[in-house]
Amino acid sequence: MRKLLTILALGCSLCMVACSSGGKSVTRIDEKSTTDLSGKWNDTDSRLVADEMITSCLSSARIEKMIGEMGKTPTVVIGKVRNKSHEHISVETFVKDMERALLNSGAVDFVANSSERAELREEVMDQRGNATEETAKALGMESGADWMLTGTINTIVDQEGGQSVIFYQVDLELTDLQSHKKLWMGDKKIKKFISKDSVKL
């Protein structure tokens, strides 16, 4: 009996140690708050860069003049945004942030990108023979884009010891799809200083 009690006591002690040392605390924070843990590109960078660059593009004197001369709301499609940086960056999240900024601006319309259009066309094809004639959508009735927005994300890393500086540069270009003339070019730079605290023994 004494041996059984000793084993139980030891088991409880080990469980308490494991629970106290391996516990995890989770705190919900505002999704729009700025949180930099690693110093890498994050959701805040994606959202702020997208908002700032779309605003810069649509408020430029050249684009405002062209929208006025067109006499209609131009339609934009977002092309490829290439990640040429040294780290993994969710380009899709950045593109969605730009799409949201474009829609919320009210200055332009925008259409689905090439991969999204392929899926939409499959649905239209599926409707033929499956949906009623009144509701089935016809092929060849898509809205063509007037302008295409493309871009790149680049980084330069300068590191020495436990300190490093990461320099991000996002370049975007707006191009006329008919003439292939570049209508606007913009860039956004972000520089982050990262210092790793020395371990004190």
Side-chain angles (χ1 to χ4, degrees):
M1 185 68 176
R2 182 175 295 175
K3 183 180 288 186
L4 178 61
L5 290 174
T6 303
I7 293 173
L8 287 174
L10 181 61
C12 289
S13 299
L14 290 173
C15 181
M16 291 176 65
V17 171
C19 291
S20 62
S21 61
K24 183 187 293 184
S25 176
V26 177
T27 304
R28 292 185 180 273
I29 59 177
D30 185 351
E31 73 276 6
K32 292 185 178 180
S33 63
T34 301
T35 307
D36 266 317
L37 297 179
S38 65
K40 295 180 179 179
W41 177 276
N42 56 36
D43 62 311
T44 300
D45 298 318
S46 177
R47 185 181 70 254
L48 294 180
V49 170
D51 288 345
E52 184 174 326
M53 295 196 76
I54 294 301
T55 299
S56 174
C57 173
L58 298 178
S59 63
S60 70
R62 179 181 175 85
I63 297 301
E64 287 185 339
K65 180 182 178 182
M66 293 192 69
I67 292 176
E69 291 175 349
M70 289 176 72
K72 70 179 185 71
T73 303
T75 301
V76 178
V77 63
I78 297 181
K80 290 185 178 180
V81 177
R82 294 178 173 83
N83 176 23
K84 295 184 177 181
S85 74
H86 72 289
E87 64 185 57
H88 172 74
I89 291 177
S90 177
V91 173
E92 185 177 355
T93 301
F94 180 53
V95 168
K96 287 300 178 184
D97 284 335
M98 288 196 293
E99 288 180 351
R100 195 173 298 109
L102 282 168
L103 271 181
N104 291 341
S105 73
V108 298
D109 293 328
F110 87 93
V111 293
N113 60 38
S114 57
S115 60
E116 292 170 334
R117 289 198 302 272
E119 186 176 355
L120 292 168
R121 287 166 186 158
E122 286 182 15
E123 172 60 25
V124 173
M125 287 294 293
D126 187 65
Q127 289 182 8
R128 302 176 72 180
N130 292 305
T132 63
E133 186 177 346
E134 293 79 15
T135 60
K137 304 303 178 284
L139 291 169
M141 299 297 291
E142 300 174 18
S143 295
D146 301 300
W147 301 336
M148 176 178 277
L149 188 66
T150 56
T152 58
I153 303 174
N154 286 282
T155 53
I156 299 174
V157 180
D158 185 16
Q159 187 170 358
E160 179 66 31
Q163 297 181 331
S164 60
V165 174
I166 305 179
F167 174 79
Y168 296 90
Q169 180 164 325
V170 182
D171 293 283
L172 295 179
E173 297 181 357
L174 188 66
T175 307
D176 184 277
L177 282 170
Q178 184 64 58
S179 65
H180 292 187
K181 289 182 178 179
K182 294 188 185 297
L183 308 178
W184 172 85
M185 297 177 69
D187 65 83
K188 172 64 179 177
K189 299 177 176 67
I190 299 174
K191 184 179 278 190
K192 296 185 179 185
F193 173 74
I194 304 166
S195 177
K196 295 182 180 178
D197 294 333
S198 58
V199 178
K200 296 181 179 180
L201 299 177

